[in-house]
Amino acid sequence: MRSGDCTIHSNSPKEQLSLGALGSYGWLSGEPTEFQTWAARSGKWRVYQPGQFVYFSGDAADGIYGLASGGLEVTFPLIAGEPVVLHRAQVGFWIGDNAELSATPRTISLMAATECRMLHLPHEAIRKLLDDQPKYWQSFYRLATINTNIAVGLLAEVLSLTLRARVCRRLLQLTDPSRDVTVTQEDLSKMLGVYRSSLRPILKYLAGTNAIRLGYRKISVVDREALMRFKDEQ
């Protein structure tokens, strides 16, 4: 399903004064109050269902998106259009800045991994803000820096850490407050860029040490400290 199929809400007066979780987590929470107020008034809330695409690689830029609830998968078409999962994003994550600021087509695709509530800051509103108040270019470049650091960090993990360390890091990142990770072993293998046959013995080992518990379509983190011990393994 394309983004046009999502549920779009007109902001209520209350929503115009609140950014929800985006006011407390991620890029926008660190920006000036007046910038946050502009975002709350200019943005539109959108709800996406699991498996629904927010946008595709090659689409024209239409603004940026902030994740207020749920989880997102960031994918890149590598070989013959086959998507590679680059990142599983959590609350506070913002995306779309690269294409928006450079006025180029999207290079990645963005899909809802679970039901997602997102704030969309439209292209027209961003351009008007920057035309009227160029000082806010710096705010958007801060977002670009955050996302560059995420990409560089993921690359560094692949090049320097063991697969067990990367599995532990991803499970720690994905764990929600209930300590459940709603992800299949196949999805986890895609995020890490490995075959399931390589992932399976590591999950079996972690389950054998009671660090995790394997269930149907989810992995429960039983002992975060046990995962922490392996997360820097080289």
Side-chain angles (χ1 to χ4, degrees):
M1 290 183 290
R2 281 193 169 268
S3 57
D5 298 322
C6 71
T7 303
I8 304 176
H9 300 284
S10 295
N11 291 5
S12 66
K14 182 177 180 180
E15 285 179 315
Q16 289 178 350
L17 300 176
S18 174
L19 292 165
L22 296 175
S24 302
Y25 300 99
W27 162 66
L28 196 58
S29 66
E31 293 305 312
T33 300
E34 59 271 20
F35 186 81
Q36 293 187 31
T37 300
W38 165 82
R41 290 176 174 170
S42 301
K44 295 293 183 183
W45 288 105
R46 299 186 172 200
V47 176
Y48 296 85
Q49 299 306 312
Q52 187 174 4
F53 281 87
V54 180
Y55 56 74
F56 291 90
S57 172
D59 284 353
D62 67 342
I64 64 175
Y65 295 79
L67 181 62
S69 67
L72 292 167
E73 277 193 4
V74 180
T75 64
F76 180 78
L78 186 60
I79 301 174
E82 182 68 22
V84 175
V85 178
L86 300 178
H87 185 53
R88 179 74 173 263
Q90 302 295 294
V91 171
F93 178 75
W94 286 84
I95 193 67
D97 50 290
N98 183 51
E100 178 62 36
L101 298 181
S102 63
T104 57
R106 307 284 192 193
T107 57
I108 60 172
S109 297
L110 192 64
M111 185 191 77
T114 63
E115 181 175 290
C116 294
R117 186 169 184 260
M118 303 185 70
L119 186 64
H120 174 222
L121 299 181
H123 167 84
E124 295 78 9
I126 293 173
R127 291 300 161 180
K128 185 176 188 309
L129 173 72
L130 295 177
D131 286 345
D132 294 343
Q133 300 189 63
K135 66 179 181 179
Y136 286 124
W137 271 104
Q138 192 171 49
S139 293
F140 290 100
Y141 275 117
R142 275 193 287 269
L143 172 58
T145 299
I146 290 171
N147 285 336
T148 297
N149 289 341
I150 290 174
V152 171
L154 291 172
L155 176 60
E157 287 182 9
V158 172
L159 294 175
S160 63
L161 298 181
T162 66
L163 180 55
R164 180 165 63 179
R166 293 169 56 209
V167 169
C168 291
R169 282 174 175 251
R170 201 62 66 239
L171 291 175
L172 288 167
Q173 174 199 11
L174 295 172
T175 306
D176 67 18
S178 69
R179 296 200 169 190
D180 286 342
V181 180
T182 308
V183 63
T184 65
Q185 292 185 32
E186 182 178 358
D187 289 339
L188 187 58
S189 66
K190 288 179 180 178
M191 290 179 212
L192 296 166
V194 299
Y195 292 110
R196 285 185 63 185
S197 57
S198 300
L199 179 65
R200 196 173 296 116
I202 294 174
L203 292 178
K204 184 177 180 180
Y205 171 83
L206 293 174
T209 60
N210 294 318
I212 63 173
R213 184 170 56 252
L214 302 176
Y216 178 68
R217 298 189 66 83
K218 72 177 182 180
I219 302 171
S220 299
V221 175
V222 179
D223 186 352
R224 288 182 61 87
E225 291 302 317
L227 299 183
M228 292 289 289
R229 287 196 293 271
F230 292 119
K231 75 179 186 67
D232 295 325
E233 185 179 64
Q234 297 183 332

